[in-house]
Amino acid sequence: MEIIAKFTLIIFGVFLIGSGILMLIIPAFVRSTLRKAGSTALINYGELSLRMIPAIAFILYAEHSIHPPSFKIIGWYIVLTSIVLMIIPRKFHHRLSNRFADFLTPRMFTLISPFAVMIGGFLLYIIL
């Protein structure tokens, strides 16, 4: 189970790096993707279910990490927020994502993109 959790977190780290690169190169695409969160039942529950995969990996890998409490907190935070977003009306989740998309201009995505790359890189660094 440790190997599967570690591999899942490696994929998640690469995903974060890729997302950061997309935010830098094509921020308008990332913004339009954010607008779709919660727009349909398939997108809503698909996205939230996919979020659970790295969250559970954080929890399962915690005891093998350099700082188990941090991994558990991150994992449980993602699990609980995903459950809350599954319980609330889908349209509320969609409105919330649109508000974030309104606030986060393409320029802001470009400015925050290095943070996604750094977080993904740091995750890879502490796991590998």
Side-chain angles (χ1 to χ4, degrees):
M1 196 54 80
E2 170 196 352
I3 294 169
I4 294 170
K6 183 176 183 175
F7 182 69
T8 301
L9 291 174
I10 290 169
I11 292 171
F12 185 59
V14 171
F15 169 78
L16 289 173
I17 292 168
S19 296
I21 292 168
L22 285 176
M23 284 191 273
L24 180 66
I25 297 172
I26 45 175
F29 170 76
V30 176
R31 188 180 192 205
S32 70
T33 301
L34 176 59
R35 288 191 184 284
K36 293 177 184 170
S39 60
T40 69
L42 178 65
I43 290 172
N44 187 59
Y45 298 111
E47 168 211 345
L48 296 172
S49 297
L50 285 174
R51 281 178 56 167
M52 295 278 208
I53 295 169
I56 292 168
F58 270 107
I59 295 165
L60 294 175
Y61 191 73
E63 295 307 318
H64 307 284
S65 71
I66 60 172
H67 198 265
S70 296
F71 273 62
K72 285 183 181 178
I73 289 169
I74 291 167
W76 281 111
Y77 176 79
I78 298 170
V79 166
L80 294 174
T81 56
S82 297
I83 291 170
V84 167
L85 289 171
M86 285 181 173
I87 293 171
I88 64 171
R90 181 180 53 79
K91 291 182 190 246
F92 178 80
H93 182 202
H94 184 58
R95 278 194 309 268
L96 183 64
S97 67
N98 275 299
R99 284 188 185 139
F100 275 108
D102 290 340
F103 175 74
L104 295 169
T105 63
R107 176 72 178 140
M108 288 177 79
F109 274 111
T110 301
L111 292 173
I112 64 174
S113 66
F115 295 103
V117 173
M118 286 189 296
I119 292 168
F122 182 69
L123 180 59
L124 294 176
Y125 173 76
I126 62 175
I127 290 175
L128 297 175

